[in-house]
Amino acid sequence: MREKPKPGRPGIARRAAGSSARASSRPAGWVLALRTMVWATSAVVMIACGVTWFAYHSLTSGLTTSDALDAVKKKAPPHLDNSVNLLLVGLDSRKDMNGNDLPKQFVQDQLHAGSSEIGYYNTNTLILMHIPADGGKVSAFSIPRDDYVQTLNGDGSSQGEHKIKEAYANAYTGAHDRLAQQGVKGADLEGKSREAGREATLATVQDFTGVAIDHFAEVNLLGFYDIAKVLQPITVCLKHPVKDHYSGADFPAGVQQLNAKQALAFVRQRHGLDAGDLDRTRRQQAFISTVTHQLKSQGVWRDLGKLQGLFGVVKKDVVLDSSWNVLDFAQQAPNLTGGNVVFHTLPITGFAMRKGEDVNLVNPEKIKEIVQQAFGPSPSASASVSADDKLGAKAAPATVDVRNGNGTTGLADTGLKALTDLGYTAGDTGNAPLQAHTTVVYGSGAQQAAQQIAARLKTGPATASSSVPAGHVRVILGHNYTPPSSQTKDPAPQPSASASTDDSSGPAVKAGGVPCVN
């Protein structure tokens, strides 16, 4: 029989010590679980980072980018908040990225755009979009291509008065001739000449609208065709049947689906339309609305595989500014659908002949007023007035004059009475040219009252004007006018950019589906 070990025996002590050491080197179960979780998490993070980098690299590598904004940002108007102003540029060029003519047969048969010599480097589409910092509704303005304006070069020097679409072509030609004399050739010559054109377009639009441009995208006829080819069939809606041999448009009335060739004809038609170029502008707005709706409904924005197919076309045909993070924009893009965008067309004052060509006459000051009013800072950014200065406070001293730019007979008188009922001193009334949005301007000493009134009428920020007498506030009623609230609760006024009203160049186009147009 084996003798039981007795305490204190050296052999047993050594064995016990060894067993204890081995036990202490073996981690407890919860420690193993924790380490496993950390290792697994680290592996997932590493893999995710690798996938993210690969996705970003595969989608963004090979994009054609431009530094043209760098030249014009120095003279850009100040930004008052973190909103984004985006300019979409449609180039009426029948050339590829290197300046080579597109195949003649392709231009004639598929683009239905005449010869490769037509169009040159004019910008037939200019759409300025404002994406608010607070995620509110997006407002967009199309600039009619024949607006007769002061066009600029990228350095701010004047080109003279021309159609706004010619700013790009004028700068391109000047740079091309100058660089060619210096011995620059081929793709380098084309690229540098186009950069001059882009700079001129950006500088001209900034000067014309009075707002800074943060990003831009440029596409030519071929790029539009290729994008439409990826997305076809494209659903559109027409109020009336059309047939135009110039553009190739031949469509019945109603909802219908178009292939790429037909889609290009749809957005290019201007002959045979009641408002000519202005109706064509609304066709372009409707196309953008339809495409963004289609991309969202098909889940393209959140599907890397589908995005990759779309980006393949973008890399080939589209030029983006170099500071634009396209994946961030792809994540934000779904917010541009579902009725969150309203397209307007900037108004013209008439038609005329200038330098032997038909042009649109415009009022540059009115254009700036309309765009700046719509693109004004969000309420949180523009709240330079304290809570006591808003609706709950007594009306600040000021004489109020009201001008009727709405068009409804007698509205100036009723508008003035509504304001005097709130405690402001009655001034005079009168008429003003029709305008889309109600505006508030003030003279010296009337800032506090003007800010109160702007809040009550839910307009953009009130602005100072030397044309308004001291102590006076001038309210110009627009199409979106609603009577002021007499409630003491602050209604948290929203920028008038969110109003889906008509402007003086025709009805607005609201995104979020398939709008029906002429």
Side-chain angles (χ1 to χ4, degrees), residues 362-379:
V362 295
N363 182 336
E365 295 308 313
K366 178 61 65 177
I367 294 297
K368 289 182 175 65
E369 183 180 329
I370 291 172
V371 176
Q372 291 172 4
Q373 181 78 9
F375 287 18
S378 62

Side-chain angles (χ1 to χ4, degrees), residues 147-162:
D147 283 3
Y148 196 67
V149 304
Q150 180 74 236
T151 60
L152 305 178
N153 294 307
D155 61 2
S157 60
S158 174
Q159 295 180 352
E161 289 188 310
H162 301 276

Side-chain angles (χ1 to χ4, degrees), residues 404-411 432 434 477-479:
N404 186 2
N406 175 282
T408 302
T409 302
L411 195 62
L434 296 179
L477 307 180
H479 288 302

Side-chain angles (χ1 to χ4, degrees), residues 22 28 31 165 181 210 231 240 258 286 320 322 359 390 410 453 464:
R22 286 193 298 273
V31 177
K165 70 177 183 180
Q181 290 179 353
L231 300 175
H240 312 287
L258 308 182
L320 303 174
S322 54
V359 302
K390 291 186 179 180
I453 292 170

